[in-house]
Amino acid sequence: MNALLLVAHGSRRSESNEEVAELAGRLAERAEGRFDIVKYAFLELATPSIPDGIEQCLQSGADSVSVLPYFLARGTHVVEDIPEQVAIKQKQYPDTDIHITPYLGTVAELPDVLLKLTE
Amino acid sequence: MNALLLVAHGSRRSESNEEVAELAGRLAERAEGRFDIVKYAFLELATPSIPDGIEQCLQSGADSVSVLPYFLARGTHVVEDIPEQVAIKQKQYPDTDIHITPYLGTVAELPDVLLKLTE
């Protein structure tokens, strides 16, 4: 089974974390047929952590986990912190496909998406 | 003339700020016919500031400025800080249409855009 793990920064504001949980729910609806499991995790300030989120996917039966960084810029979080957290589980489960996808800020369609906000 | 001002957080990393400048360039191409002017500004840590970005739009001949928050969560930056910065120019130019659009995190198409990253 394929799992998608949406990884956000995490906030002290519970409302921001709930926005991520809600987005993961909408993602699950749209991902039907592509991902059997959709969960979310936070880099910091909120739970579940990234390793715990990956573990949740594996416990749900995933044999492949795509970790999707919900980040706009190619900063330290994207380049170092998320890979470090994911590596913990990659080492623990060397025979499982656990990989990181490109981050949100790289999506070619961003200009069109942004223009929708001005309609 | 209509102007679109993309407002990002701003980073100490110049590469992150350049990503925003580059995105504004792509936005300008896609916005043809809708916006005559497309510029960018930063809430903090980088220039131009939001008031300076709005001023640039007006000096370029804009009589309407749409300020678009390039933010994912409805946090303090979106709810308080950006409106405060925009209000400086709204007070200075009471007869000009200077308004804030919904922020990126509200776009209904986000799940589909995120799924493209997993292809």
Side-chain angles (χ1 to χ4, degrees), chain B residues 12-81:
Chain B
R12 285 183 189 84
R13 296 176 64 260
S14 60
E15 299 91 325
S16 292
N17 301 329
E18 281 157 21
E19 275 187 83
V20 174
E22 192 264 340
L23 175 59
R26 287 194 286 143
L27 202 47
E29 286 169 24
R30 302 295 298 170
E32 226 167 298
R34 299 260 309 278
F35 292 97
D36 311 287
I37 301 159
V38 177
K39 296 192 178 288
Y40 60 91
F42 300 99
L43 179 61
E44 54 190 45
L45 300 174
T47 57
S49 68
I50 296 172
D52 286 352
I54 294 171
E55 187 65 38
Q56 284 180 9
C57 294
L58 299 175
Q59 294 304 322
S60 297
D63 40 39
S64 165
V65 182
S66 299
V67 177
L68 198 168
Y70 188 52
F71 284 75
L72 293 174
R74 199 177 166 282
T76 312
H77 291 328
V78 165
V79 177
E80 293 173 21
D81 302 338

Side-chain angles (χ1 to χ4, degrees), chain A residues 6-84:
Chain A
L6 181 69
V7 169
H9 185 281
S11 170
R12 286 185 188 83
R13 295 175 64 259
S14 61
E15 299 91 325
S16 292
N17 301 329
E18 281 159 20
E19 275 186 84
V20 174
E22 191 263 341
L23 175 59
R26 286 194 286 143
L27 203 47
E29 286 170 23
R30 303 294 298 169
E32 225 168 299
R34 299 260 310 276
F35 293 97
D36 311 290
I37 300 158
V38 176
K39 297 195 180 285
Y40 60 90
F42 299 99
L43 179 61
E44 53 190 46
L45 301 174
T47 57
S49 68
I50 296 172
D52 286 352
I54 294 172
E55 187 64 39
Q56 285 180 8
C57 293
L58 299 175
Q59 295 303 323
S60 298
D63 39 38
S64 165
V65 182
S66 299
V67 177
L68 198 169
Y70 188 52
F71 284 73
L72 293 174
R74 200 178 165 281
T76 312
H77 291 327
V78 164
V79 177
E80 294 173 19
D81 302 338
I82 293 175
E84 267 176 32

